[in-house]
Amino acid sequence: MTFYNLIAAAEAPTNEFGFMEAMEQGGPVAWSILAVLVIMSVGSFYILFTKWFEQRKVLNQYKGVRNQFWRASSLREGATKLDKNSAWRQIADDAIVAQEKHGKMTDQMEAHDYMHGSLQRSEDSINYSLSGGLSFLASVGATAPFIGLLGTVIGIYRALINIGIEGSASIDKVAGPVGEALIMTAIGLLVAVPAVLAFNYLQSRNRRIAELLTGFSTDILAYISSDGAVKPSVNAAPASKAASTKANSTPAAKGTGTPGARTNTNPAGTAGGASASMKKS
């Protein structure tokens, strides 16, 4: 009995089910769909990390704008304190060029519109550069599930073809194509979900940067229009604290006073002494 059972087990067909087996059954079409999804996934993560580092660099450079740029005596001096090839340096340089051309216009209204338009063009070019690659993320998030669904449809179609050829819906004829279909659907979702999340995250950070750029260009426009009279307040707390500490350490603050101040501290007493002398006389 045991011997015959071993012979039957040896003669029984062995079916192996797995990812590689499903892809081999799918043929060139399945491998092509998988290659497209892998390219989409790699491209999405590449854009996510590169854009995140680029945005982080821009936001860190903004600290230099608040701490150094507005402490300068002129726009040209302030621009030299900013990092080269930065978004903030680009706006400052464009503002300097626009200021030079601004003086050649006789109509003040047209000059103001020209300055505003020049800074707006500079902002738009920076925002366009920061948004580069986000359209790819949006496309991946929108199309990856459908590409996976295409693999699903092809897998189900092949399963039905096998059923029709064999004349029976046995599990060994259907499991492979159906497994391939489920795998393609899962891969499509795994590619699409991170792409959508990355797009929304990077887009929100770009909106924050655009807000800061608009505020910076508005401050520059106000600075130029007022000939330097209007500019953002710079935190000068350390200097004020040092000045207050120095003032408190002087003898006058301690109440010692000077000889001249001591003479003028009691004018009434002096007058009283003089009146007493006159009365006595």
Side-chain angles (χ1 to χ4, degrees), residues 155-200:
I156 297 299
Y157 173 75
R158 288 179 52 254
L160 296 176
I161 293 297
N162 290 336
I163 293 173
I165 294 175
E166 298 295 334
S168 63
S170 59
I171 190 64
D172 59 336
K173 302 298 181 182
V174 180
V178 172
E180 172 199 333
L182 297 177
I183 289 174
M184 286 301 174
T185 302
I187 294 176
L189 293 175
L190 289 176
V191 172
V193 171
V196 173
L197 295 177
F199 174 81
N200 293 330

Side-chain angles (χ1 to χ4, degrees), residues 13-28:
T14 58
N15 293 323
E16 295 181 0
F17 300 102
F19 176 76
M20 296 302 300
E21 286 74 12
M23 296 305 298
E24 290 176 357
Q25 292 181 13

Side-chain angles (χ1 to χ4, degrees), residues 31 48 56 64 68 119 153 189 201 231 265 270:
W31 285 109
L48 171 62
R56 181 185 178 187
Q68 299 178 4
L119 294 176
V153 172
L189 293 175
Y201 175 68
K231 64 178 181 179
T265 55
T270 305

Side-chain angles (χ1 to χ4, degrees), residues 66-108:
R66 302 297 303 176
N67 297 330
Q68 299 178 4
F69 181 81
W70 291 115
R71 295 180 184 273
S73 59
S74 64
L75 288 180
R76 193 175 299 276
E77 180 184 351
T80 58
K81 297 182 179 181
L82 300 178
D83 296 337
K84 294 182 179 179
N85 300 324
S86 67
W88 315 103
R89 179 67 178 269
Q90 176 180 335
I91 292 181
D93 291 340
D94 291 342
I96 293 172
V97 174
Q99 184 182 19
E100 294 175 352
K101 297 180 180 180
H102 171 272
K104 299 179 181 179
M105 297 185 178
T106 56
D107 192 340
Q108 294 297 324

Side-chain angles (χ1 to χ4, degrees), residues 195-218:
V196 173
L197 295 177
F199 174 81
N200 293 330
Y201 175 68
L202 296 176
Q203 191 73 2
S204 63
R205 287 169 65 88
N206 277 345
R207 286 195 293 268
R208 173 56 179 166
I209 294 175
E211 179 184 356
L212 295 177
L213 290 173
T214 301
F216 181 60
S217 62
T218 302

Side-chain angles (χ1 to χ4, degrees), residues 234-256:
V234 181
N235 187 13
S240 301
K241 184 177 180 181
S244 177
T245 303
K246 183 177 180 180
N248 292 332
S249 63
T250 57
K254 295 180 180 179
T256 55

